[in-house]
Amino acid sequence: MPSDDFSGPYGSYGSYVDGRERPGTQWVYTVRASAMLRNFFGSIRTKRSLEKGTMAAADAPEEVIGRCAVADEHEVQAALRSAARAADEWSRAPLATRLRLVEVFHGLVREKHDEIVDLMIAEGHPSALARWEASGILANTAPATREFLAAQMEHRTSTARRELTVRRVADGVVCLNPPQNATIANVLLGVWALAAGNALVVRAPRSAPLGVMHVLRHLIAPALEAVGAPAAALSALCSDAPTTLRTWLESPLVDDVMYFGSSRQGIDFGARCVAAGKKPVLELAGNDICVIWHDADLDLAAQALTEAFYGSGQICMVPNVAVVHPAVADALLAKVARRAAGIRPGYPEEAGTLLSPVLRTDLFRACLDQALQGGAELVCGGRRLDAGGAEDPVGGLFLEPTVLRVDGLKGARDLEAVRHETFFPLLPVVVPAPEETPGLLEAVVRFVNTNEYGLRNSLWTGSQEVTDRFVAGVRGGGLLKVNDSHIGFLPVLPTHGGTGLTGGPGGEANYPMLRTSHLQGVSVARDIRPLDAVFDGQATEAPA
């Protein structure tokens, strides 16, 4: 796998098509994230020199950790042809074999856990977040999750004269376009599309391809081999997004597209998929709401709210808005502000680092200013920081965790920071006004339900009655948690998926094994005369 002229720790990866690696002539090089933070412009010069060929690959400095070949349109087409052939064979494999694939994959993730975490850190994920992402991969493929999905894939009923089956059947060729901010964790959702019996084609984003290519080759490809699946069931390429997505839409070989991105672009892309006869599986923005009632454990609630700042808020499933009962708002805000002050920037290898660099600080400033001009109060934060945590208003790549107080449910969504996902370490805390107190729980439930997005929602309360009313009333979102970490992963429950602008018109909790397959009813009859079955009621005989 590693080439002769490049010795980076993660090696070289060509396009992976039809079970073979295709060497490249054009490369994308990955520089260790901490090196980029220490010397951004120098690292960019090195990267560009290698990619232009003005620096030999053999002379790459040690901070260059890997490279991936850039696929052209011919390789993109070849991957689809290979996948279509493999899908026809792999879809016939027994369900038990396909679930065994996930079991083997789960074991490999456990075995290579530290390697996966180290690679995420090298690509810029703070160490604590890298471990969190790895925990999500394990929860998503845990035995309880596999058992639950196995039951969803097939149900058999025997009657006196028939074997009746309701099953889910693979869609065919699934193409996956992971996000740039969490490539490894999200691309590995593709193992469930494979478990459904599909062939999988992955586009590694040119901005962050190394982790994608590495884990596909070292986790999913070996798992496929271990269960006797065709190697061509998996293809992986680092390619240009517009060209690749257009090819997927135009190709008669593609059945589904798993797309991660912004809501505006994703909803439009989903419409294009439908027009082209493809099933879109959309993972778009989240604008999650966390509600804190007056009887909540405020220390635990404050801890959960500070999850809003992990990765500088550049994670779709963190809490984006808090709604806090007015009786405890002041006390809770003080606790959140104290916790926010302890969340700091730093190099991703450092154990205490939770913040990631933010490139568009101008957009953050515009969003913050709009909120302040609209009546919000700045509780803490708002500054640009350097990697050491010192204020740097000109060149700081980090943003200080920022908390806003917004008084009143009515009009709160006039603020962009409340209405839309911001992707910044910015948490607006909405405190209902005194006149909104009568019937407050119902008003809060309406506020949650009228959110245009719907990824995750959560509640903190000590009351079973409040819990029951909240759970019964909240309809949106793919996941609802009570008195729990907002971002924590759990077996069986979905890690992704949601309603509204999060998942588009067909959005729901995303179990990729279910989303990339379709229901089919099967009847196998014994000694049935067709006319009798139609006219004498034999089609509805009782189970044996």
Side-chain angles (χ1 to χ4, degrees), residues 56-71:
D59 297 331
E62 63 179 7
E63 61 264 25
V64 179
I65 58 174
R67 69 177 188 176
C68 298
V70 179

Side-chain angles (χ1 to χ4, degrees), residues 444-446 448-449 457 469-477 479-480:
V444 170
V445 168
R446 284 195 299 273
V448 174
N449 281 336
N457 294 302
R469 289 165 63 189
F470 191 85
V471 170
V474 172
R475 301 187 307 276
L479 187 62
L480 175 57

Side-chain angles (χ1 to χ4, degrees), residues 271-294:
R272 292 168 59 198
C273 285
V274 171
K278 321 295 181 191
K279 180 197 291 184
V281 181
L282 304 177
E283 287 293 339
L284 310 177
N287 193 30
D288 295 7
I289 298 176
C290 182
V291 175
I292 295 87
W293 211 239
H294 64 80

Side-chain angles (χ1 to χ4, degrees), residues 461-481:
T461 180
S463 166
Q464 186 62 51
E465 180 188 357
V466 171
T467 297
D468 292 344
R469 289 165 63 189
F470 191 85
V471 170
V474 172
R475 301 187 307 276
L479 187 62
L480 175 57
K481 303 182 81 175

Side-chain angles (χ1 to χ4, degrees), residues 33-53:
S34 54
M36 296 281 284
L37 285 174
R38 290 187 175 92
N39 183 4
F40 179 78
F41 293 108
S43 296
I44 289 296
R45 281 195 297 270
T46 297
K47 175 177 165 65
R48 289 176 177 170
S49 296
L50 287 164
E51 290 172 355
K52 291 179 179 178

